[in-house]
Amino acid sequence: MSVRVEGVVQGVGFRPFVHRLAKRLMLCGHVGNHADGVFAEVEGTRDAVRAFLRALREEAPPLAVVESVRTTELPPTGANGFTIAASPQGAEANTLISADSATCDACLRELADPADRRYRYPFINCTHCGPRFTIVRGVPYDRPFTTMAGFAMCADCAAEYADPADRRFHAQPVCCTACGPRLRLDLLGSDPRFGQDLLAEAVRRLRAGQILAIKGLGGFHLATDATDPTAAATLRARKHREDKPFAVMVADLAAVRELCEVGDGDAELLTSRRRPIVLLPKRPGTPIADAVAPGNRRLGVMLPYTPLHHLLLADVGRPIVLTSGNVSDEPIVYRDEDVADRLGGIADAVLTHDRPIHIRTDDSVARTFRGTVQLQRRSRGYVPEAAAGLDVDVGRHVLACGAELKNTFCLAKGRRMFLSHHIGDLENVETLRSFTEGIEHFRALFDIDPEVVAYDLHPEYLSTKYALDLPDVVLVGVQHHHAHIASCLVDNREPGPVLGVAFDGTGYGTDGTIWGGEFLVADLATFQRLGHLEPVPMPGGAAAITQPWRMAAAYLDLAYGDDPPELDVARRNAGRWRAVRSMARSGVNAPTTSSAGRLFDAVAALLGVRDTINYEGQAAIELEQHADPAERGVYAAAIADGDPLRVSGEDLVRACVDDLCAGVPSTVVAARFHNGVSDVIARVCARLRQRTGVNVVALSGGVFQNLLLLGVTVDALQQRGFRVLVHSRVPTNDGGISLGQAVIAAHS
Ligand code: ZN
Ligand code: ZN
Ligand code: FE
């Protein structure tokens, strides 16, 4: 029988795996690479062949992603033994590159073994672990096309590389103390030093409260002692980052459990080879300094994923902050030559090495929701795996340019959709460069030449302007919230139609206004807007996004006019309150929006949780954490008939104010507000089900990163008999937009 396997099956130890498997099952034949993956010819008993096909998927090596196994019957040839065939010459354009992977257990054992020739070598790796995507410069995936090209293998490494029985067979980044990259410590301003003993000095400096820039897989981190309040505060001040939480890295799972509540799904996620930052509830009385995640009940934690991390964490013996090496909103620094300029004012020393990073890739960020993973940022460890989508062929080559904030792009062809790593907020030149260079890199890696280009309808997005400037392509404008719902459909491998609830901060509507509290009926090709939050003015436009108290003023004015109750939020902002209120009334510099994000902002300010924000989504995040999860009370919001239906956010604000004035604790009010939003979502969907006959609801948009809201909304919908789709592998925030755009463009 002839077998063809497609997916991430080259450079991941697949041929040796097939070889071992065939020997075990006493099959004869051979295995080899070909242009689209791996092929094998096997001969043996029917049971053995059947077991072979099953094991190809079930026992595949850790970095392999088996997308398809196709078989053809062949007449027996009476072959003897089983061999690994030589690779054919020529381009291998359709093979896939694996994501970067955390150091495997076998390598960790060698790292800790004084008798091993790679004892304490910070760059140990093998076929099952190590850098991949971040070092690949081009295809085929072969050492000369990686940033390891400059390191000639020593005889020992070359022998391992060439031996099919060795676990480093065809491991492109294979290296050792004798032939591989070296650590380097730069004390900015003086000459760099090289060698393994530098680790001890880096550890000493971290323990003394210094800030180190440390080169990781996808860029430089800034590290400091997470238990030292002065160190954490100094890092915050130098990085110009006021409140946005820092992630921490700890040595192992036991150390995580000392800091945070760890559920089953969390433990699996933390220790997975992808090693994202996992957001976990902080335990009371942890030794983590307050300045690490101020005002936050959660902590972003990750485990070591490079040999260097393992060595450092074991020696430092306490949690360290490990945050992106950048200044405020710039992208992460990834080239040694940029470190002095851009991190010189922040870091006291730089722990780096001479293996270049080809493409910057941030840490991924995830949480678990009822035991399943929800990616908030899909990047290192996940990219460039194709986002396994619907079993449909997108046909023509497609590029989707994504949104403005949390930008990603997506390139698609055939059955594969390559969702890019997290690019960032397209608000500065450096990030825009990351975006355009990223697109070029993916085009080359996956041999995609876009004929169709999808873009967001917002005319001011830099991603939109980039798309509109491309020559000789078919342009498809995709509405933002339709893209959100489509991304949720792809994530769930559903074609629709669904009732789509898209709640987020900002998205350009087909009528030219800002949407963000939307009820759609949608599939992968089209949508209709069947309902939305009642639009309200945003006094000051963009200023209302960074100053939630302005949204409180706007909502209170709608609810109470000239006779509002006396509220603290008005007193706190008395200086500008009247001016902002008249801006809202006149509509001058006050565009209207149906945004759910702005409603959450208004309530956060109203409850005294937050008047102004220092990072996107801060007010809503703090409102979620402020709410008492045990509270079952529900505020009611009216639904105005019509096409589209309109939901009164004003009713929810009025209910909050009534309770506040009656002396109800703000934690209870916050919970009743969340419950009220969920309840009205379920009631609107029930009405729309009557109208459309659709009984499936997809929840998408950045507002659903709020897991309290997500939980009560899923419950409210299920109680009404709906089947509910939520995000998992694709971010619910704007990081998923490009995938939605790609699939919609392919279907239009
Ligand atoms: Zn390994
Ligand atoms: Zn070597
Ligand atoms: Fe959005």
Side-chain angles (χ1 to χ4, degrees), residues 484-501:
H484 269 305
I485 299 305
S487 75
C488 186
L489 286 171
V490 175
D491 200 353
N492 287 277
R493 297 191 169 108
E494 299 255 354
V498 284
L499 297 175
V501 182

Side-chain angles (χ1 to χ4, degrees), residues 59-78:
E59 297 172 27
L63 294 192
V65 179
V66 176
E67 285 182 355
S68 71
V69 177
R70 281 180 294 171
T71 58
T72 324
E73 292 289 347
L74 290 178
T77 61

